[in-house]
Amino acid sequence: MASTVTNIAIDCANAYQLARFWAEVTGHPVDPEDGPGDEETAVTLPGGPALYFNQVPEPKSTKNRLHLCLRPDTTRDEEVQRLLGLGASLVADRRTSDGRGWAVLADPEGNEFCVLLAESERDALPAPA
């Protein structure tokens, strides 16, 4: 017997607004039944769990113990720039001079996530020495 992950719950101050940000990030829409003012909102990812936004009264206070890692269709650096333009902020730059590494960003409510290398970038890297 096993359990299936059906959603990843993200506590937030404004469920619909944060869901709209993540809809732009993932390229998948906010659930059509959800709207402004809803305290619960979802973005369903094809073939995977939904991102479920749950409005709570308390603000985020510490580093996430669980976070999402994104593998872009474009390059890592292009995706970082796109996400910064959507309202994300850079938390930590873990990119290295040899082209490896990742960037740690935060969504508009401060939830951290990582942007990894695209598959094509990973495939083009030489084996580590």
Side-chain angles (χ1 to χ4, degrees):
M1 294 200 300
S3 295
T4 301
V5 175
T6 59
N7 68 56
I8 298 167
I10 302 167
D11 289 350
C12 56
N14 186 320
Y16 185 73
Q17 184 177 358
L18 197 57
R20 288 190 48 178
F21 170 82
W22 281 99
E24 289 292 323
V25 169
T26 64
H28 298 288
V30 172
D31 188 302
E33 294 182 14
D34 297 335
D38 286 351
E39 293 184 1
E40 300 174 349
T41 308
V43 174
T44 302
L45 306 175
L51 299 178
Y52 176 81
F53 302 90
N54 182 41
Q55 201 159 297
V56 297
E58 66 276 355
K60 179 181 179 299
S61 61
T62 61
K63 181 181 181 294
N64 297 12
R65 295 293 300 239
L66 172 79
H67 66 267
L68 303 177
C69 291
L70 307 177
R71 186 156 324 272
D73 292 335
T74 62
T75 69
R76 175 197 56 207
D77 295 344
E78 288 172 327
E79 185 66 352
V80 167
Q81 290 306 309
R82 183 181 82 86
L83 298 176
L84 292 172
L86 291 175
S89 57
L90 183 64
V91 173
D93 195 339
R94 305 282 188 233
R95 296 174 280 190
T96 60
S97 60
D98 66 357
R100 291 175 164 67
W102 62 94
V104 182
L105 277 64
D107 70 20
E109 290 203 14
N111 300 300
E112 296 94 357
F113 61 97
C114 294
V115 180
L116 309 174
L117 289 171
E119 286 293 338
S120 60
E121 291 177 297
R122 284 180 47 186
D123 293 344
L125 287 172

